[in-house]
Amino acid sequence: MKMLTAKNIQKSFGKLEVLKDINLDVNEGDVLAIIGPSGSGKSTLLRCIMQLDTIDSGEIEICGNTLVCNNEHGKAVYADKKSCVKIGLHLGLVFQNFNLFPHFSVLRNITEASVTVLGTPKEEAEKTALELLDKMGLKDRANAYPYQLSGGQQQRVSIARALALKPDLLLFDEPTSALDPELTGEILKVIRSLAAEKMTMVVVTHEMAFAQNVADRVIFMDDGVIVESGTPDQVFGNTQNDRTKSFLARFNGND
């Protein structure tokens, strides 16, 4: 089953064209890694999928539901508000800067959306949250506040918060970029475990080893376009594209 289909996505901010005819799809159980230099449009693409930004033209389908399509003039038309909200519940997003509520405990950070958005009974939401915290190695931190946690712990809480809504597709926007190398390993371990459980994920990342070893498919973006797409072996081991080679050389120490 296709969990995400994006066709001919275009997005501009004023005169700056950020996404230029982007096409991709994600099947159930896939891990798609999106790599590329800063400013290439990777995070904007995720924001458009999550409805945090709107596209100018193109089509997006999520779990078989049409979120947006073109009208006869080639302009994007979104589904009605109720449908957009319902479609959005298929998705979860983990931000690079955690975005936890500082005045909520860890437990409430995880349960708040389940209770207020999904209407989950508080006791049930807390049971799920504690199970997720246990999975993240943080069950003893349920009553702590974000300021009492390390960056790696905060990011694990934000992953638990996203999983609490039981999304069909989980999006990560550079989840390790705000962390030092030691804490980065904690988060990549969590994402690897989710991949092993066949969680469908799209991961925007600068961690090339992770993209190479964990992803099923890799997309390299630059200047708002998909320059190359393929298996990790194709993109990392047998790329024929000079721009991809140049980008990857920086991570291999071959400047």
Side-chain angles (χ1 to χ4, degrees), residues 8 19 47 76 119 166-168 189 206 227:
N8 310 121
L19 298 176
R47 290 181 60 83
K166 299 179 172 61
D168 296 299
K189 183 179 179 181
H206 288 298
V227 175

Side-chain angles (χ1 to χ4, degrees), residues 33 85 96 111 115 125 154-155 161-162 166 186 192 201 229 246 249:
V85 171
Q96 54 184 295
T111 60
V115 172
Q154 289 186 61
Q155 191 61 297
R161 177 180 60 183
K166 299 179 172 61
E186 295 179 13
R192 283 190 180 94
M201 295 183 282
S229 175
S246 173

Side-chain angles (χ1 to χ4, degrees), residues 94-123:
V94 177
F95 297 90
Q96 54 184 295
N97 292 317
F98 322 138
N99 283 26
L100 298 176
F101 294 111
H103 56 296
F104 286 176
S105 69
V106 163
L107 188 64
R108 189 173 173 189
N109 262 288
I110 297 171
T111 60
E112 185 71 8
S114 293
V115 172
T116 59
V117 177
L118 298 183
T120 306
K122 184 178 178 183
E123 185 176 322

Side-chain angles (χ1 to χ4, degrees), residues 183-233:
L183 298 179
T184 291
E186 295 179 13
I187 303 308
L188 295 181
K189 183 179 179 181
V190 170
I191 300 175
R192 283 190 180 94
S193 71
L194 293 173
E197 295 170 8
K198 292 300 180 182
M199 181 77 200
T200 310
M201 295 183 282
V202 176
V203 186
V204 169
T205 183
H206 288 298
E207 299 294 331
M208 295 301 111
F210 168 83
Q212 189 169 8
N213 297 325
V214 180
D216 300 297
R217 288 191 300 127
V218 177
I219 283 174
F220 171 59
M221 287 183 65
D222 188 32
D223 194 28
V225 301
I226 294 176
V227 175
E228 189 162 5
S229 175
T231 65
D233 285 347

Side-chain angles (χ1 to χ4, degrees), residues 25-244:
D25 48 44
V26 181
N27 294 316
E28 186 174 7
D30 277 358
V31 178
L32 172 66
I34 304 179
I35 62 173
S38 297
S40 59
K42 307 183 302 296
S43 293
T44 299
L45 177 59
L46 289 196
R47 290 181 60 83
C48 288
I49 293 168
M50 285 296 302
Q51 304 179 54
L52 298 174
D53 283 323
T54 56
I55 63 173
D56 299 322
S57 64
E59 302 175 23
I60 298 175
E61 283 190 10
I62 296 166
C63 296
N65 302 289
T66 299
L67 174 66
V68 55
C69 59
N70 285 337
N71 63 15
E72 64 271 21
H73 304 295
K75 300 296 183 184
V77 177
Y78 280 77
D80 62 85
K81 188 174 181 179
K82 185 177 180 180
S83 296
C84 286
V85 171
K86 188 175 180 180
I87 292 169
L89 292 176
H90 290 284
L91 305 172
L93 176 62
V94 177
F95 297 90
Q96 54 184 295
N97 292 317
F98 322 138
N99 283 26
L100 298 176
F101 294 111
H103 56 296
F104 286 176
S105 69
V106 163
L107 188 64
R108 189 173 173 189
N109 262 288
I110 297 171
T111 60
E112 185 71 8
S114 293
V115 172
T116 59
V117 177
L118 298 183
T120 306
K122 184 178 178 183
E123 185 176 322
E124 181 183 333
E126 289 186 348
K127 181 176 182 290
T128 298
L130 290 171
E131 289 171 354
L132 287 168
L133 283 173
D134 192 26
K135 186 175 182 177
M136 299 292 155
L138 293 172
K139 194 169 185 177
D140 62 334
R141 308 298 281 159
N143 295 316
Y145 285 80
Y147 77 90
Q148 297 173 308
L149 305 178
S150 69
Q153 289 173 327
Q154 289 186 61
Q155 191 61 297
R156 279 182 276 161
V157 172
S158 71
I159 294 171
R161 177 180 60 183
L163 290 171
L165 294 175
K166 299 179 172 61
D168 296 299
L169 173 60
L170 192 55
L171 311 177
F172 291 85
D173 186 11
E174 298 185 10
T176 61
S177 66
L179 304 175
D180 64 41
E182 186 174 353
L183 298 179
T184 291
E186 295 179 13
I187 303 308
L188 295 181
K189 183 179 179 181
V190 170
I191 300 175
R192 283 190 180 94
S193 71
L194 293 173
E197 295 170 8
K198 292 300 180 182
M199 181 77 200
T200 310
M201 295 183 282
V202 176
V203 186
V204 169
T205 183
H206 288 298
E207 299 294 331
M208 295 301 111
F210 168 83
Q212 189 169 8
N213 297 325
V214 180
D216 300 297
R217 288 191 300 127
V218 177
I219 283 174
F220 171 59
M221 287 183 65
D222 188 32
D223 194 28
V225 301
I226 294 176
V227 175
E228 189 162 5
S229 175
T231 65
D233 285 347
Q234 290 169 332
V235 174
F236 288 96
N238 194 35
T239 179
Q240 304 301 307
N241 186 282
D242 289 341
R243 181 64 189 95
T244 310

